[in-house]
Amino acid sequence: MATTYKVLGQSSPGRDVFTDLYVTPDSTQAVVSSLVICNRGNTTVGSRVAVRTANAALLNKHYIVYDLPTPSFDTISLTLGITLANADVVSVYSTDNSNLSYTLFGSEIA
């Protein structure tokens, strides 16, 4: 099995739009090391992050971050250590504007 260290996903979703940041490819596992949330705007914005197993429909139990205040012109870095199986999904959401950028770092094992 080969391990590839990489940027797993990057996104700047619109307001109130749940966006898939990363979907684990077929025949692959992944380990998420960190998630960086950057607020490029001049107002505090809430961030949401969910991890859905096997591409399941979003439920309350999937949230790992819910309305985390992300201050204006600031960056939040979360060290996670999440393990993902084939078809697992990391989704992100911005509560107020499209000024949040999400970057997910980790490794894929195939």
Side-chain angles (χ1 to χ4, degrees):
M1 297 182 110
T3 301
T4 305
Y5 303 96
K6 62 192 283 185
V7 174
L8 297 173
Q10 292 183 307
S11 181
S12 181
R15 176 184 178 170
D16 297 333
V17 176
F18 231 95
T19 303
D20 292 347
L21 180 61
Y22 176 74
V23 180
T24 311
D26 290 340
S27 303
T28 303
Q29 299 171 330
V31 178
V32 174
S33 61
S34 57
L35 172 66
V36 177
I37 305 167
C38 175
N39 185 348
R40 304 177 324 276
N42 59 5
T43 60
T44 297
V45 179
S47 304
R48 296 180 189 177
V49 180
V51 177
R52 299 180 289 125
T53 55
N55 201 22
L58 181 64
L59 299 171
N60 287 337
K61 68 180 183 178
H62 295 132
Y63 286 102
I64 61 170
V65 172
Y66 196 87
D67 289 354
L68 175 69
T70 307
S72 62
F73 303 115
D74 203 357
T75 299
I76 295 174
S77 181
L78 305 173
T79 304
L80 300 169
I82 296 172
T83 55
L84 302 172
N86 174 45
D88 288 352
V89 181
V90 177
S91 300
V92 295
Y93 178 97
S94 170
T95 62
D96 194 16
N97 60 41
S98 58
N99 289 326
L100 292 184
S101 297
Y102 296 86
T103 302
L104 193 67
F105 298 94
S107 56
E108 287 183 333
I109 303 135

